[in-house]
Amino acid sequence: ALAKYLNKRVPKDVREKASFKAIWDVGVSMWQSENAKVFAKIRNGQWPPIYKPFLERLEVNYRLKQVELVSKAYTSITIKELLESYLGFKDIKALQKFIKTNNLSDVWTFDNNDKPQKVIINKKQENYQQLLNTQKLMAQFTKYVVFMESNQKLAIDEISAATSSKN
């Protein structure tokens, strides 16, 4: 939400530069969750050398974010959908290299090694005892209650001050 105001704060001469417009377009595509467009704009952009390392890292980080989302949402997904909708790869060889490079081979496997059609996503078993740490939860709950009580006390003080000033 703050990004739309950022564009207005950028000086006009900077906003009119082609490189700023191109980076802004990438950001807009990210905001609109148009994953294929994000990767296409990064890959096909005419970037000055100073921007290339930043955009390469942005592409990797965005792709890893997509991996995290897909891993949480799916137990299996077609390779076609994965490539086109989420990861922005053109072929399966790039996907295989990406899986090896990012140590995903224990989580993401192919349904058929000869002619794969789907990626099977193995879910990790969560340790719910660790997630439900009672001391940590109680500390968070206590902070929340104290916060709510302080806000309520402030509201009551403001109401009483407003009513007493009218009298």
Side-chain angles (χ1 to χ4, degrees):
L2 297 176
K4 67 180 179 180
Y5 299 114
L6 173 65
N7 194 19
K8 293 179 181 182
R9 290 193 332 220
V10 174
K12 187 176 181 177
D13 58 319
V14 174
R15 273 187 279 156
E16 292 173 352
K17 291 184 178 181
S19 59
F20 179 82
K21 289 179 182 178
I23 290 174
W24 190 261
D25 287 343
V26 171
V28 167
S29 295
M30 290 172 77
W31 181 65
Q32 294 174 341
S33 297
E34 296 173 335
N35 303 324
K37 286 185 179 180
V38 170
F39 295 117
K41 287 177 181 179
I42 291 173
R43 187 174 32 252
N44 300 329
Q46 300 298 317
W47 305 109
I50 195 165
Y51 294 138
K52 284 185 180 181
F54 166 74
L55 288 158
E56 288 169 358
R57 192 68 211 157
L58 176 67
E59 182 178 15
V60 169
N61 286 344
Y62 191 73
R63 192 166 277 134
L64 289 172
K65 178 186 168 213
Q66 295 305 312
V67 165
E68 190 176 316
L69 291 172
V70 168
S71 294
K72 286 182 181 178
Y74 292 91
T75 55
S76 69
I77 185 170
T78 64
I79 290 176
K80 181 180 179 184
E81 182 180 5
L82 183 64
L83 295 179
E84 291 175 1
S85 301
Y86 294 102
L87 298 182
F89 290 127
K90 296 289 183 194
D91 60 11
I92 194 166
K93 289 182 182 180
L95 174 63
Q96 289 170 331
K97 182 181 176 188
F98 178 76
I99 288 172
K100 285 181 184 175
T101 304
N102 291 289
N103 298 322
L104 295 171
S105 53
D106 60 331
V107 180
W108 285 20
T109 56
F110 295 108
D111 63 341
N112 181 348
N113 287 332
D114 297 331
K115 193 166 177 147
Q117 298 296 312
K118 286 185 176 184
V119 172
I120 309 298
I121 300 164
N122 301 314
K123 303 285 185 180
K124 294 180 190 173
Q125 288 289 0
E126 294 288 341
N127 182 354
Y128 291 104
Q129 291 292 8
Q130 191 176 18
L131 292 174
L132 297 175
N133 181 343
T134 54
Q135 289 179 335
K136 188 176 179 182
L137 287 173
M138 198 60 175
Q140 288 175 325
F141 180 68
T142 303
K143 286 179 183 178
Y144 178 72
V145 168
V146 168
F147 173 76
M148 294 303 288
E149 286 178 346
S150 67
N151 282 346
Q152 184 179 11
K153 185 176 186 310
L154 288 174
I156 291 171
D157 291 345
E158 289 172 1
I159 292 170
S160 64
T163 56
S164 65
S165 66
K166 289 181 181 177
N167 294 333

